[in-house]
Amino acid sequence: MNQVMKAAMISAYKQTSPEILEVPIPEPQATDVLVQVAAASINPIDLKTMEGGLKMLLRYDFPLILGSDFAGTVVTVGAAVKDFKPGDRVFGRVQKNRIGTFAEYLAVTQGDIALIPAPLSFTEAAALPLVGLTSYQALKEVMQIKPGDKVLIQAGSGGIGTVAIQIAKELGAFVATTTSSRNFELVKQLGADLVIDYRQQDFTEILSDYDYVFDTQGGTILEKAFTIVKPGGQVVSITGLPNTRFAKTYGLPRWKALAIRLASHRLNRLEKKTGVRYEFLFMRPDGRQLAQLAEMVTAGKLQPVIDRTLPFSEIKEAFAYSASGRARGKIILQMKAAPSE
């Protein structure tokens, strides 16, 4: 094996796009596997990281390899790894302090990966980890959706939305979603019961007495979500501001917790006024949950939606397309060093 690899890196926050450079191949630790990356997906968190939007929660050293989820083949395993072996097809979402999937090789802890289900290609598998785990944790762990619950999933044609709709339907929920008219058929095929054209309709004038809202938009759209949820319900956001409960759970220092409390005062007031609980979700990697998602794929209950696949060499174009907000489903990078399937 060559001792260097190509990786997409930034040297400082607010860089316009990552640069592909040569760096040493990482050395796996005892509980790591070394993976030859076949495909990786671009997520909004990658753009936020590059812009410095997560500095309050995450601290990184530079230069920094970007990328959060991937699919590939195990090359070597650490001495303490028992569940995986060289040649295994795996996928995963890395720990937030170990990002770096936009690279030809990746060292990742064994607890953050799972075997790729047989029906999926590397490209399809790379589309699932971050959006699948985020949706699973929001809908099953936080909301604890049960049959008959009504949930609004914002931006149903996006990377999160396309997966969240399928998981919510599997849990038995009545699902409403927002998207543009050109995506109506897509979200209906995924299982959405009620589709709202956000360009022509205001969801607050159509929906009421909902149990949950899964927010992927933030800002005023997040604030408006409180008006359609009944008292005792929940609004769960992955893009809104963290609140004091999150700061305490995440173990942030006191000064950061105070800053978060001040910044989220509008959401705190809305929570008290409406009786609707607000939760900020910062998803966590979880190989066992990935395995459960893989079972859903094998059973035909979950299928990734991919907008386009681009070669690794076109990562700048891929980032620009992601930033446009026009993607239907996921944007996938095909790595040059990818093994054949």
Side-chain angles (χ1 to χ4, degrees):
M1 183 191 302
N2 293 330
Q3 298 306 306
V4 295
M5 66 178 184
K6 291 182 179 179
M9 311 177 71
I10 58 173
S11 57
Y13 288 129
K14 300 190 180 300
Q15 192 168 314
T16 56
S17 60
E19 297 284 343
I20 296 178
L21 303 172
E22 285 196 345
V23 296
I25 292 175
E27 289 287 339
Q29 303 301 310
T31 58
D32 288 347
V33 301
L34 181 67
V35 175
Q36 184 179 22
V37 181
S41 76
I42 293 180
N43 296 282
I45 194 172
D46 301 316
L47 279 72
K48 287 184 179 180
T49 299
M50 189 168 65
E51 295 165 357
L54 298 174
K55 288 190 291 185
M56 178 67 75
L57 300 178
L58 298 170
R59 181 179 178 86
Y60 292 117
D61 296 323
F62 296 98
L64 175 68
I65 304 175
L66 296 174
S68 297
D69 53 3
F70 71 96
T73 303
V74 175
V75 177
T76 60
V77 302
V81 174
K82 305 298 182 184
D83 297 330
F84 301 95
K85 64 184 184 303
D88 282 344
R89 298 167 72 246
V90 297
F91 68 143
R93 200 287 193 206
V94 296
Q95 295 289 331
K96 297 177 180 67
N97 62 347
R98 299 189 72 184
I99 64 172
T101 65
F102 298 157
E104 292 176 328
Y105 293 89
L106 170 74
V108 56
T109 185
Q110 62 178 337
D112 296 342
I113 62 175
L115 295 173
I116 296 174
L120 294 188
S121 66
F122 284 121
T123 300
E124 292 169 321
L128 272 179
L130 187 145
V131 296
L133 291 172
T134 301
S135 300
Y136 186 93
Q137 290 167 18
L139 299 167
K140 189 171 178 64
E141 287 189 347
V142 181
M143 298 179 191
Q144 299 181 6
I145 285 179
K146 59 186 182 298
D149 284 344
K150 296 195 297 182
V151 58
L152 167 64
I153 296 172
Q154 296 282 18
S157 61
I160 291 284
T162 52
V163 171
I165 290 171
Q166 296 178 75
I167 293 176
K169 290 306 298 180
E170 174 61 17
L171 293 173
F174 178 92
V175 177
T177 193
T178 58
T179 189
S180 63
S181 58
R182 76 183 183 98
N183 297 317
F184 271 28
E185 286 306 311
L186 169 64
V187 296
K188 287 179 180 178
Q189 290 172 4
L190 295 173
D193 300 289
L194 176 61
V195 186
I196 298 168
D197 183 351
Y198 74 90
R199 292 177 176 169
Q200 303 292 332
Q201 301 168 295
D202 184 340
F203 71 90
T204 64
E205 297 177 357
I206 299 172
L207 308 179
S208 62
D209 203 35
Y210 266 59
D211 299 286
Y212 306 103
V213 172
F214 186 17
D215 170 70
T216 62
Q217 304 291 289
T220 57
I221 293 177
L222 166 59
E223 294 180 7
K224 290 167 66 175
F226 285 84
T227 66
I228 73 161
V229 179
K230 60 189 179 185
Q234 284 182 309
V235 173
V236 179
S237 180
I238 58 172
T239 54
L241 291 168
N243 58 2
T244 304
R245 277 194 301 275
F246 170 81
K248 183 177 180 180
T249 302
Y250 200 65
L252 294 178
R254 184 172 300 178
W255 71 270
K256 285 189 176 182
L258 178 58
I260 284 174
R261 179 180 179 183
L262 294 173
S264 61
H265 70 280
R266 287 174 61 88
L267 294 172
N268 295 335
R269 288 207 306 266
L270 280 169
E271 190 178 49
K272 292 178 181 178
K273 179 181 178 180
T274 61
V276 174
R277 185 178 177 89
Y278 171 69
E279 296 285 351
F280 174 78
L281 175 65
F282 208 30
M283 63 78 62
R284 71 182 188 281
D286 192 317
R288 291 183 179 180
Q289 288 184 356
L290 270 180
Q292 291 176 316
L293 293 173
E295 291 178 3
M296 290 181 62
V297 170
T298 302
K301 298 176 180 179
L302 178 63
Q303 180 69 27
V305 176
I306 296 173
D307 182 291
R308 61 186 60 182
T309 300
L310 297 170
F312 186 35
S313 60
E314 295 181 18
I315 190 170
K316 293 182 179 181
E317 292 82 354
F319 263 66
Y321 184 57
S322 179
S324 75
R326 298 194 303 269
R328 295 169 43 145
K330 298 303 298 293
I331 304 166
I332 307 298
L333 291 172
Q334 189 74 40
M335 311 306 295
K336 184 177 180 181
S340 59
E341 300 200 50

